[in-house]
Amino acid sequence: IVVALDNLPSTAYLPREMLKTMGFFSAFRFVPGFDAFLASPIALGVFQFATIALLVMATLGYRTRITLPLAAVAAFMAGGIARQYFRLYHQGLIPLYVLGVLAFTPCGDALSLDARRVRSGETKRPEDYAGGRWICWLVVAVPDVVAGLNKLRRGGFYWWDPINLKRIVMRDSLMPMEFNWDVAFLLIDAPDALFLFFGLSTVVLEIAY
């Protein structure tokens, strides 16, 4: 869903002066022909479609040992392409972390199209999956807990104050991103109690991980 929301072909028309250094993703700039790839809306559109197809196949559990690593690399590239012109926004990062972990853990043995391997006689103990499940939960929980604690460290116990939270939401909505987040402007006249609920529940749920 995150990859589908991005409009990668439109980035081909953005000026190259907007490009920012994006950590590991910057290594792709040394690949021959990568600049031409970024300047081609057709190539970006095909790449985005292929990335979504790989993610769907990985989700369905089809050839997981192949589709999961390819989907992880493709999703990483898609996220980097979208962010390199704007900023490192966090939407979609945790699913990317989980996807990367799944590429190195046992999976595709139960609710998947690959489950025929189990029916053919290959059996595994529940303990064989314990480490993979633990690491998946780890890459979900740690960023959430850190995000919740960071809100308290930077904003104190009044981070969820309706006026402060409304300011944060409106500011983030106006910052450049590859996709629009216009829903925030529909809430500009919402009652303070709604923002208080959003802010308090966000901190509680994040730290509860």
Side-chain angles (χ1 to χ4, degrees):
I1 293 173
V2 172
V3 174
L5 286 175
D6 289 332
N7 187 357
L8 295 188
S10 68
T11 63
Y13 303 104
L14 295 175
R16 293 295 173 264
E17 289 77 11
M18 292 178 61
L19 290 175
K20 297 178 175 62
T21 301
M22 298 297 292
F24 288 115
F25 178 78
S26 300
F28 286 108
R29 296 182 185 174
F30 297 99
V31 176
F34 191 70
D35 286 337
F37 167 70
L38 293 179
S40 171
I42 296 177
L44 290 170
V46 171
F47 169 73
Q48 184 171 9
F49 178 81
T51 301
I52 295 172
L54 284 169
L55 289 167
V56 170
M57 287 189 289
T59 301
L60 295 176
Y62 177 73
R63 303 287 183 180
T64 50
R65 291 303 91 198
I66 299 173
T67 57
L68 271 171
L70 291 177
V73 173
F76 173 77
M77 284 185 60
I81 292 171
R83 289 170 172 81
Q84 65 178 342
Y85 295 96
F86 305 110
R87 64 188 178 95
L88 185 60
Y89 49 86
H90 70 278
Q91 286 85 353
L93 290 183
I94 289 180
L96 180 61
Y97 298 158
V98 176
L99 187 62
V101 170
L102 288 175
F104 295 95
T105 55
C107 54
D109 292 341
L111 298 177
S112 71
L113 298 179
D114 286 346
R116 62 183 181 277
R117 292 180 301 165
V118 176
R119 292 195 295 269
S120 65
E122 180 183 344
T123 58
K124 293 184 179 179
R125 302 169 304 164
E127 293 82 1
D128 295 331
Y129 303 96
R133 289 198 303 269
W134 183 78
I135 299 175
C136 283
W137 276 115
L138 192 67
V139 298
V140 171
V142 170
D144 275 302
V145 174
V146 171
L149 294 176
N150 188 53
K151 290 178 176 63
L152 296 181
R153 183 181 69 85
R154 299 184 64 181
F157 288 101
Y158 297 101
W159 178 88
W160 54 77
D161 179 86
I163 295 177
N164 180 57
L165 191 59
K166 185 179 290 189
R167 176 188 64 83
I168 294 173
V169 170
M170 298 305 163
R171 180 200 64 196
D172 288 350
S173 299
L174 291 171
M175 295 185 73
M177 286 193 295
E178 177 56 22
F179 58 90
N180 292 324
W181 191 244
D182 296 337
V183 65
F185 299 108
L186 300 177
L187 300 174
I188 192 168
D189 294 322
D192 288 350
L194 183 63
F195 279 90
L196 178 63
F197 170 76
F198 285 156
L200 189 57
S201 60
T202 296
V203 173
V204 171
L205 289 174
E206 287 180 340
I207 296 179
Y209 268 98

